[in-house]
Amino acid sequence: MNDFINDKVLPKVMRFTDSKIITALKNGMIYTIPFIIIGSVFLILSSLPIVSWSNWMNSTGLVPYFNQATNFSFNLMAIIAVTGIAYEWARNEGIAALPAGITGLISFLVVLQPTTPITNPAGKVLVKNVRHLTGFIDTSWLAGKGMIAAIIIGLVTGWIYSWFVKNNITIKLPEQVPANVANSFVALIPAAALVTFWMLVYMAFDHFGHTSMLAWIYNVIQTPLQGITDSFGGALIVPILISFLWFFGVHGSSIVSGIMTAILLSNGTDNAKLFASGNLSLSHGGHIFTQALLDQFGTVTGAGITIGLVVYMLWFAKSEQIKSLGKLEIAPALFNINEPILFGVPLVLNPVMAIPFILTPTLSMGLTYLAIKIGLLPLFNGVYVPWTTPPIFSGFLVGGWRTALWQALMLAMTFFTYLPFIRKYDNQLYKEEQDNLAEEEAAQASK
């Protein structure tokens, strides 16, 4: 099976993950993370579920200003993503990337069509037909709702822009012209072609479909994708894939996140808006499977949720190899880093440890999904915390004290899922160490 996986399966997986599309997608989405974190901080501060804090915030009038910071950082991730994806495609092709990224941003705005009625603060509809209204942008499409459209536009724009430049379909200026001026003219023809192309797309959807491209993609592609991933099956398949790939030495977390991040961040953005409005519930369209479920209950303390394994290694192990690794790993594990264990125990290509390595995160995410589904835990509030945030604290930030307590229970569970397997492996290593020690003593005695 090992030969089959390494010879037949993994080469295809690696070709897929190293493809231009996935590379641009993974690298481009990274640009959204700092701004999502910044927006999450202001979201937490403006909506902290502590009565005294909430009263103080409302009395000072700070909430609208904090919401402004959230709206124009956290809630702009679609336009950041489209810019980053087009930029990364061009950069990977070895051409000037910033003009491609800007072209991606403009392309996204070209197809953006206002579709939401304009209301006054009391909720009264002032303008119903806003399709041809100028000077108005429906900002809801700049966040999670527009994410899949942003990915498609970013990839198409990056590809076409790079094709023009690599085939020298550009304006060439004399060498005496400064580089920054020359580069701006290089972008002129591909940018003009792309803006024209996306304008025609906008015209087609507006004339024939009486809708926008973004709305069509959201209804036909993104909503079904969010529904599929936001399911109990999705909560089981994702951690299985991550651990399965890691077992063969492939960075499963990076590969799966590169594919899932856009959908999970979209789910989280929906939850954040509901949380800010006080309507965070399944009945109002809230999502269970967000980035927080994966980060705080699927890969917390590292792929495979190996904190229980570290506890055994540190306090119960008999073999020197396992004890030494436990001392080295305890600090990194608190910040969700476990490569020393993955390659040191090892867990990679270790059939004895394969079952708990795959089972543990699957149990954690599956049980957490069900706990939220039945109302035992609240939905995650959409806050994005850095993946290195220590456990328990991260659980509190994304869901409050009940989520933090549940996260502690899931971490305690990992000790028992790993226990019978690591004990068997530890005894095997201990026996080998004792046999080697006896051989060395016999050799010394014979001298």
Side-chain angles (χ1 to χ4, degrees):
M1 179 179 178
N2 182 48
D3 292 339
F4 172 77
I5 294 294
N6 282 298
D7 296 340
K8 303 295 184 181
V9 178
L10 287 185
K12 295 178 181 178
V13 171
M14 295 309 299
R15 279 198 299 272
F16 173 72
T17 57
D18 292 336
S19 65
K20 293 179 181 180
I21 291 176
I22 298 302
T23 300
L25 177 58
K26 288 191 300 183
N27 295 341
M29 288 296 298
I30 289 174
Y31 294 105
T32 67
I33 301 303
F35 303 100
I36 293 174
I37 294 172
I38 293 169
S40 295
V41 171
F42 286 101
L43 177 63
I44 292 172
L45 293 176
S46 65
S47 307
L48 202 64
I50 299 175
V51 175
S52 58
W53 176 266
S54 178
N55 292 337
W56 181 81
M57 287 289 292
N58 289 322
S59 66
T60 57
L62 288 174
V63 172
Y65 300 106
F66 279 43
N67 289 341
Q68 182 79 350
T70 298
N71 289 335
F72 290 96
S73 54
F74 189 106
N75 290 331
L76 290 184
M77 65 179 181
I79 62 173
I80 298 172
V82 71
T83 306
I85 291 168
Y87 175 94
E88 283 296 322
W89 187 296
R91 188 176 72 86
N92 292 334
E93 293 287 1
I95 63 177
L98 184 57
I102 296 173
T103 304
L105 170 60
I106 294 172
S107 300
F108 183 86
L109 295 176
V110 166
V111 299
L112 178 62
Q113 181 186 67
T115 56
T116 302
I118 298 177
T119 62
N120 64 11
K124 182 179 179 181
V125 176
L126 302 179
V127 181
K128 292 183 178 180
N129 184 11
V130 297
R131 288 175 50 246
H132 300 292
L133 186 67
T134 59
F136 169 71
I137 292 178
D138 184 355
T139 57
S140 65
W141 296 107
L142 306 183
K145 282 179 67 176
M147 184 57 71
I148 298 301
I151 291 172
I152 294 172
I153 294 169
L155 292 173
V156 172
T157 301
W159 170 53
I160 294 177
Y161 184 96
S162 300
W163 181 87
F164 270 86
V165 175
K166 292 178 71 176
N167 285 277
N168 295 316
I169 308 175
T170 60
I171 295 176
K172 298 179 179 63
L173 298 180
E175 294 181 359
Q176 293 81 5
V177 176
N180 60 333
V181 177
N183 286 337
S184 65
F185 277 88
V186 166
L188 185 57
I189 292 178
L194 280 160
V195 169
T196 303
F197 168 75
W198 291 116
M199 181 193 69
L200 293 173
V201 171
Y202 172 83
M203 290 171 59
F205 276 94
D206 183 63
H207 181 72
F208 296 106
H210 301 290
T211 185
S212 69
M213 173 186 168
L214 272 65
W216 185 86
I217 290 175
Y218 179 75
N219 293 323
V220 176
I221 300 176
Q222 182 166 332
T223 299
L225 278 177
Q226 288 183 265
I228 292 170
T229 55
D230 191 21
S231 63
F232 183 65
L236 298 180
I237 292 172
V238 169
I240 290 173
L241 283 176
I242 291 175
S243 295
F244 180 78
L245 291 171
W246 262 119
F247 178 77
F248 292 95
V250 180
H251 202 302
S253 306
S254 176
I255 292 172
V256 175
S257 294
I259 300 170
M260 294 292 299
T261 295
I263 296 297
L264 297 183
L265 289 181
S266 297
N267 289 350
T269 301
D270 291 344
N271 281 15
K273 290 181 178 180
L274 293 172
F275 176 68
S277 66
N279 295 314
L280 182 56
S281 65
L282 291 174
S283 61
H284 285 90
H287 302 281
I288 298 177
F289 194 177
T290 66
Q291 191 68 40
L293 180 64
L294 180 58
D295 288 348
Q296 317 316 326
F297 293 94
T299 58
V300 65
T301 73
I305 319 184
T306 52
I307 188 64
L309 182 60
V310 174
V311 169
Y312 176 90
M313 294 168 67
L314 196 59
W315 282 290
F316 301 98
K318 294 189 291 184
S319 66
E320 288 301 321
Q321 175 182 331
I322 297 297
K323 285 181 182 178
S324 301
L325 280 171
K327 295 175 183 177
L328 291 173
E329 174 59 22
I330 184 61
L334 296 177
F335 297 93
N336 307 314
I337 300 169
N338 69 341
E339 275 78 0
I341 281 186
L342 294 176
F343 296 100
V345 171
L347 295 177
V348 172
L349 294 177
N350 185 341
V352 176
M353 301 301 299
I355 292 177
F357 184 57
I358 296 174
L359 177 65
T360 300
T362 307
L363 278 175
S364 176
M365 285 188 62
L367 291 173
T368 304
Y369 183 97
L370 294 176
I372 297 174
K373 187 75 173 179
I374 64 176
L376 184 62
L377 297 176
L379 287 171
F380 300 120
N381 54 25
V383 167
Y384 184 94
V385 297
W387 65 270
T388 52
T389 305
I392 312 303
F393 181 60
S394 63
F396 176 79
L397 290 177
V398 302
W401 68 268
R402 283 190 291 168
T403 302
L405 178 59
W406 181 267
Q407 190 181 43
L409 291 174
M410 292 298 99
L411 295 178
M413 175 198 69
T414 66
F415 176 80
F416 299 99
T417 56
Y418 277 103
L419 179 60
F421 300 92
I422 186 59
R423 177 184 288 164
K424 178 179 180 180
Y425 185 59
D426 181 39
N427 289 336
Q428 177 184 329
L429 293 178
Y430 181 72
K431 183 177 183 302
E432 291 176 1
E433 290 175 355
Q434 294 302 308
D435 291 344
N436 292 336
L437 181 61
E439 290 177 4
E440 291 177 4
E441 291 176 350
Q444 290 290 337
S446 64
K447 291 180 180 179

